[in-house]
């Protein structure tokens, strides 16, 4: 009886001591948790729209450490890793007691370490809390940390940490960084030879680096393949074949695409590790390859920029800000897609579009290309020659300057600028200047991105898209009135799709327009099919002249090559809308057979008197008449052309009296938008929309 009492007391004491030990361990675990927060020090990544890596940035300490999860790597690699490093990984709680006992016994028998007992959990503990010394105390701490980690994380989460932090030599850490550096690909699909090398390197990463010690890397990979457990995973025959596969002898650069977009993404959200963009990696790779090749041909100090956008969504799918981001001689750090430059003749299609929309001309209308004087402004053609009588179609295809200015004079520069605002594009005028005829030949500043945004309207039946910044936010089609009516858009596309491609360029079924700014400072071309718009700019970032630089000779070949290298199949241009036809000259109405202006600058069609035109206020003008104060001043209205008497209407309501004068006063009843219309005695009308402030 006394013996049973002692046993009961001893058992109770054991339980108390065990409980106390557990409580002590729990208290220590809570007081000294593993430094898992250090595992969050990762490389920032910039991804394309499909999640593919465009560019990675080294960590603050200069390491390539890309976040990697179990789902990011080849399953066979994971099986090989566990078979080689920690066969009982899924069964133990951080410490493999059997492996620890075996290693201890071997050490006692041989007086040296024969095999290790380090589990993957213990390796993770060492990776997130590295220690310089290899002491018994450090090993005990590693054991304790492994147990702590197992209590906090699942097996897959522990593998995630190993896959992210395993050392691979130099500043490479993690399986993704190593796979990209040695194989040039993500580790989702690995061969047996590739997987075995990635399993072998972390044990002695510096000694086994393939780019510095090829033989050591080969021997290490061979040991992995010969391990019995690994052989069971891959099969003896496959392991033997893998041994014969060559090991890469050099380390490749990690993806470094879209330099300007990537830098902008980091500036916009510096604390974010993964930045999603709207870019498409294959498109971006193609555009950058074309840019590199073109830069070599262009010569020193010249740069180039490209923007490719989806006209239906507004998403930028490819963007090149300069010929070479790291080339100081070309000021490569400057993103030339966002710099205002003179667009040359690239705005002419919108002038012709307005003329088509207003019924002033058709494609076969005859227009004169001869020297002309517009109140002191004397435009000249690029080659200093003149073609005489040409069709409107020929005038746009040949990019003749005088016909374009004549049409702009007829439709009105202010009306053109108002249309640009419908696309949320505001070209920059010279200081203290109002819209004039020079804007038709490049007398404004515009960015390549904004120019592409304008052309999205031509690619999608007149409805422009708001381009995103390529980083965040959802691009979208713009609400409201179209930039041009569909029939006018079709006429422009029908003409531009007939422009001859540059020598040697394939016919891709695209419409395109070139432009060269005054003084050979900028070469442009913008092309589009039924879905995508691509804009190209070439020039010097310092705005210096480059003799011989032209849109057709310099930028257009790059456009066609970039379209081809983008990998995007050509989408046919939209079908003609209702009412869109190409009419022969002989079948045109008499009023559209020839376009001309009289000495006063008024439109004359086939000898008939000019139609009325409102010359003040201009279309879209904001006029301060004191609306805020409540005491509105009258507005003076002026017109040219037409046959008296004239009837004026304000917001659809006729003014009290007919007038034979070409000036009239109108007293608004309030501020805001108003539409003014004048009708002459022949029933011809003209209208403008203005804002009363």
């Amino acid at each position: 009886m006394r013996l049973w009492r002692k046993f009961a007391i001893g058992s109770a004491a054991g339980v108390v001591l065990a409980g106390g030990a557990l409580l002590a361990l729990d208290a220590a675990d809570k007081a000294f948790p593993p430094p898992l927060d250090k595992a969050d020090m990762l490389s920032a990544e910039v991804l394309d729209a499909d999640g593919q890596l465009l560019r990675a940035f080294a960590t603050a300490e200069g390491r390539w450490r890309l976040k990697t999860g179990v789902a990011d790597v080849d399953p066979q690699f994971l099986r090989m890793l566990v078979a080689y490093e920690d066969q009982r990984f899924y069964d133990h709680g951080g410490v493999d007691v059997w492996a620890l006992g075996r290693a201890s016994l071997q050490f006692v028998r041989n007086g040296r370490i024969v095999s290790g007992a380090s589990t993957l959990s213990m390796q993770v503990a060492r990776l997130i809390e590295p220690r310089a010394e290899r002491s018994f105390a450090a090993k005990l701490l590693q054991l304790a940390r492994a147990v702590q980690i197992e209590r906090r994380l699942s097996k897959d989460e522990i593998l995630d940490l190993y896959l992210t932090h395993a050392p691979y030599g130099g500043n490479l850490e993690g399986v993704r960084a190593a796979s990209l550096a040695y194989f040039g690909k993500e580790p989702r699909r690995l061969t047996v030879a590739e997987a075995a090398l990635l399993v072998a390197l972390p044990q002695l990463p510096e000694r086994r680096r393939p780019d510095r010690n090829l033989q050591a890397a080969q021997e290490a990979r061979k040991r992995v393949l010969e391990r019995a457990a690994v052989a069971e995973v891959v099969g003896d025959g496959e392991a033997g074949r893998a041994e014969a596969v060559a090991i890469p002898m050099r380390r490749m650069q990690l993806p470094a695409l879209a330099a300007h977009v990537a830098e902008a993404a980091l500036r916009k959200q510096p604390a974010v590790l993964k930045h999603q963009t709207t870019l498409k990696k294959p498109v971006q790779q193609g555009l950058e390859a074309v840019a590199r090749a073109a830069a070599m041909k262009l010569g020193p100090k010249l740069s180039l920029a490209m923007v490719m956008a989806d006209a239906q969504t507004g998403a930028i799918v490819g963007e090149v800000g300069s010929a070479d981001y790291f080339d100081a001689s070309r000021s490569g750090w400057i993103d030339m897609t966002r710099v205002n430059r003179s667009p040359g003749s690239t705005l002419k299609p919108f002038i012709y579009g307005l003329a088509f929309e207003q019924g002033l001309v058709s494609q076969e209308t005859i227009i004169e290309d001869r020297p002309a004087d517009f109140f002191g402004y004397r435009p000249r053609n690029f080659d200093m020659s003149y073609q005489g009588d040409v069709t409107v179609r020929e005038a746009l295809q040949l990019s003749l300057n005088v016909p374009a200015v004549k049409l702009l004079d007829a439709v009105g520069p202010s009306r053109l600028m108002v249309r640009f605002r419908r696309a949320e594009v505001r070209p920059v005028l010279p200081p203290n200047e109002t819209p004039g005829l020079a804007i038709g030949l490049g007398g404004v500043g515009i960015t390549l991105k904004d120019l592409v945004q304008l052309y999205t309207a031509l690619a999608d039946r007149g409805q422009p898209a708001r381009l995103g910044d390529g980083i965040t936010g959802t691009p979208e089609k713009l609400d409201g009135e179209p930039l041009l009516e569909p029939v006018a858009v079709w006429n422009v596309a029908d003409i531009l799709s007939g422009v001859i491609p540059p020598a040697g360029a394939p016919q891709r079924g695209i419409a395109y327009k070139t432009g060269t700014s005054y003084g050979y400072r900028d070469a442009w071309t913008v092309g589009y099919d039924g879905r995508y718009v691509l804009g190209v700019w070439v020039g010097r970032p310092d705005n210096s002249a480059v003799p011989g630089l032209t849109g057709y000779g310099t930028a257009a070949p790059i456009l066609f090559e970039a379209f081809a290298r983008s990998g995007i199949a050509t989408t046919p241009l939209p079908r003609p809308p209702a009412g869109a036809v190409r009419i022969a000259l002989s079948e045109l109405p008499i009023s559209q057979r020839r376009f001309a202006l009289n000495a006063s600058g008024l439109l004359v069609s086939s000898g008939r008197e000019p139609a009325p035109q409102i010359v003040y206020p201009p279309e879209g003008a904001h006029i301060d008449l004191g609306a805020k104060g409540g005491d509105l001043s009258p507005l003076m209205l002026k017109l040219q052309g037409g046959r008296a008497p004239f009837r004026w209407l304000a917001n659809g309501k006729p003014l009290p009296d007919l007038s034979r004068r070409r000036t009239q006063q109108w007293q608004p009843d309030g501020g805001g938008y108003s539409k003014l219309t004048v009708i002459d005695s022949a029933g011809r009308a003209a209208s403008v929309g203005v804002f009363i402030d």
Side-chain angles (χ1 to χ4, degrees):
M1 192 70 177
R2 188 176 299 171
L3 183 63
W4 280 106
R5 185 179 299 162
K6 288 181 179 180
F7 178 77
I9 294 172
S11 298
V15 170
V16 172
L17 289 173
L22 288 173
L23 290 173
L25 285 173
D26 282 338
D29 181 68
K30 293 176 181 177
F32 303 101
L36 294 175
D37 56 323
K38 292 184 179 179
D40 296 330
M41 298 171 62
L42 304 170
S43 293
E45 300 177 40
V46 179
L47 312 175
D48 81 343
D50 300 318
Q52 296 189 71
L53 182 65
L54 290 172
R55 186 180 182 187
F57 291 85
T59 63
E61 65 270 29
R63 298 191 175 277
W64 298 108
R65 188 185 297 133
L66 307 178
K67 184 174 179 58
T68 312
V70 169
D72 299 322
V73 299
D74 194 315
Q76 182 165 255
F77 165 80
L78 291 175
R79 291 193 293 270
M80 292 173 65
L81 174 68
V82 172
Y84 187 77
E85 290 284 357
D86 190 357
Q87 295 180 44
R88 284 175 286 276
F89 172 69
Y90 291 102
D91 300 321
H92 62 65
V95 178
D96 187 345
V97 178
W98 293 105
L100 194 62
R102 182 198 66 238
S104 301
L105 183 60
Q106 289 173 339
F107 180 77
V108 170
R109 287 177 177 175
N110 298 279
R112 59 184 178 86
I113 296 176
V114 176
S115 63
S118 181
T119 64
L120 286 171
S121 304
M122 292 168 64
Q123 293 182 49
V124 166
R126 185 179 69 249
L127 291 173
I128 65 174
E129 193 177 19
R131 291 177 177 271
E133 75 278 2
R134 296 175 61 87
S135 63
F136 183 70
K139 197 67 176 179
L140 283 178
L141 177 61
Q142 189 183 119
L143 290 167
R145 289 300 196 205
V147 174
Q148 288 181 304
I149 290 171
E150 288 274 354
R151 295 180 66 179
R152 286 168 169 79
L153 304 177
S154 68
K155 292 292 184 179
D156 278 357
E157 288 172 330
I158 293 170
L159 279 176
D160 291 350
L161 288 176
Y162 179 86
L163 297 173
T164 300
H165 293 269
Y168 279 90
N171 62 349
L172 292 178
E173 291 189 5
V175 174
R176 280 186 66 206
S179 182
L180 289 165
Y182 291 124
F183 311 133
K185 66 179 185 180
E186 293 280 355
R188 293 187 183 90
R189 294 289 182 270
L190 296 171
T191 66
V192 172
E194 291 168 344
L197 182 64
L198 294 179
V199 169
L201 293 182
Q203 284 78 46
L204 293 169
E206 290 302 326
R207 295 184 189 177
R208 297 176 177 176
R209 284 180 57 172
D211 57 331
R212 294 189 177 180
N213 196 335
L214 183 62
Q215 184 176 354
Q218 288 174 330
E219 292 173 354
R221 184 184 68 176
K222 183 178 180 181
R223 282 193 292 273
V224 171
L225 292 169
E226 289 177 345
R227 179 71 64 89
V230 175
E232 290 180 8
V233 172
V234 300
D236 290 333
E238 189 65 32
R241 286 189 292 271
E243 285 187 30
V245 176
I247 287 179
M249 299 174 61
R250 64 182 183 88
R251 173 175 156 176
M252 290 176 276
Q253 183 182 6
L254 267 65
L257 298 169
H260 293 91
V261 172
E263 293 282 357
L266 253 64
R267 289 195 300 270
K268 191 169 186 177
Q269 294 179 302
V272 174
L273 287 176
K274 288 200 174 185
H275 303 264
Q276 190 90 23
T277 70
T278 61
L279 305 182
K280 296 282 189 177
K281 187 174 183 177
V283 175
Q284 187 67 28
Q285 287 176 318
L287 298 190
E288 292 197 17
V290 171
R292 286 192 299 270
M296 295 178 65
K297 297 177 182 178
L298 290 173
K301 298 186 178 180
L302 267 75
S303 190
L304 65 90
M306 289 185 271
V307 173
M308 191 173 197
D310 186 332
Q312 294 182 7
T313 66
I316 295 177
V317 297
E319 181 174 314
V320 178
S322 66
D324 185 346
Y325 183 84
F326 299 102
D327 190 342
S329 69
R330 303 177 194 270
S331 301
W333 63 86
I334 300 177
D335 184 355
M336 295 305 298
T337 68
R338 305 299 199 268
V339 177
N340 281 306
R341 303 290 287 239
S342 167
S345 298
T346 56
L347 298 181
K348 286 179 181 176
F350 303 96
I351 299 172
Y352 282 80
L354 272 176
F356 287 130
E357 184 178 297
Q358 295 180 19
L360 300 180
V361 294
S362 291
Q363 289 194 39
E364 300 303 319
T365 300
I366 299 298
I367 189 168
E368 291 184 354
D369 178 38
R370 293 183 175 86
D373 187 331
F374 298 86
F375 303 99
Y377 178 56
R378 300 179 178 87
R380 294 178 294 181
N381 286 326
F382 183 76
D383 60 2
M384 308 302 288
S385 65
Y386 298 90
Q387 303 294 318
D389 282 359
V390 294
T391 65
V392 164
R393 181 181 181 85
E394 293 169 334
L396 179 53
Q397 288 183 339
L398 296 173
S399 196
L400 302 177
N401 287 343
V402 175
V405 174
K406 286 183 177 181
L407 290 175
L408 180 58
D409 191 33
V411 301
S414 295
R415 183 175 280 110
L416 180 66
M417 296 292 276
V418 168
R419 293 303 179 95
F420 290 161
R421 287 201 290 272
R422 289 185 183 180
E424 295 187 357
V425 172
R426 291 171 172 77
V428 179
L429 291 165
N432 304 317
E433 286 196 19
T434 56
L437 298 179
I439 66 177
L441 306 184
V444 291
I446 193 170
T447 68
L448 177 60
K449 176 179 175 290
D450 281 348
L451 191 60
V452 169
Q453 183 159 315
L454 285 177
Y455 271 76
T456 61
L458 299 182
D460 196 20
R461 299 178 177 83
Q463 196 64 43
R466 179 189 292 115
L467 300 193
D469 57 6
I471 305 169
T472 56
T474 303
E476 59 184 347
K477 298 298 288 185
L478 292 170
D479 296 328
E481 296 181 90
L483 192 151
L484 292 169
E485 293 178 355
V487 173
V489 169
W490 177 84
N491 275 293
V492 170
D494 188 51
I495 293 173
L496 295 183
S497 61
V499 178
I500 299 173
Q507 178 60 261
R508 289 188 56 86
I510 64 173
Y512 80 105
K513 182 70 185 75
T514 62
T516 307
S517 68
Y518 178 77
Y520 302 96
R521 288 175 169 81
D522 308 272
W524 303 80
T525 184
V526 187
Y528 59 95
D529 60 13
R531 180 70 184 268
Y532 293 96
V533 180
L534 174 60
V536 178
W537 169 88
V538 181
R540 286 184 54 165
D542 62 5
N543 205 30
S544 298
V546 183
L549 186 75
T550 66
Y552 188 79
T554 308
I558 298 173
L559 174 86
F560 278 81
E561 181 67 16
F563 254 117
R565 296 287 293 274
S566 70
I568 293 178
T570 302
T571 303
L573 290 163
R575 296 175 62 84
V581 291
R582 194 191 302 171
I583 304 174
L585 177 63
S586 59
E587 298 178 358
L588 286 173
I590 295 177
S591 61
Q592 281 198 338
R593 292 183 183 178
R594 174 175 288 274
F595 177 88
L597 297 175
N598 66 12
S600 301
L602 299 175
L603 178 62
V604 179
S605 298
S606 302
R608 300 196 313 170
E609 61 196 347
Q613 296 181 9
I614 300 174
V615 296
Y616 189 85
E619 172 71 25
H622 285 260
I623 304 169
D624 187 2
L625 298 179
K628 293 181 180 179
D631 187 12
L632 286 168
S633 302
L635 174 64
M636 182 64 70
L637 312 176
K638 299 180 182 180
L639 68 89
Q640 288 182 345
R643 181 190 303 170
F646 306 105
R647 168 68 73 185
W648 285 89
L649 296 90
N651 299 318
K653 297 180 181 179
L655 272 61
D657 301 313
L658 287 170
S659 173
R660 303 193 67 85
R661 303 180 61 185
R662 300 186 184 275
T663 59
Q664 176 84 336
Q665 278 194 343
W666 167 56
Q667 181 66 53
D669 0 53
Y673 177 80
S674 291
K675 190 175 186 68
L676 301 171
T677 303
V678 64
I679 304 173
D680 74 351
S681 61
R684 296 171 296 181
S687 298
V688 295
V690 297
F691 297 88
I692 305 300
D693 298 330

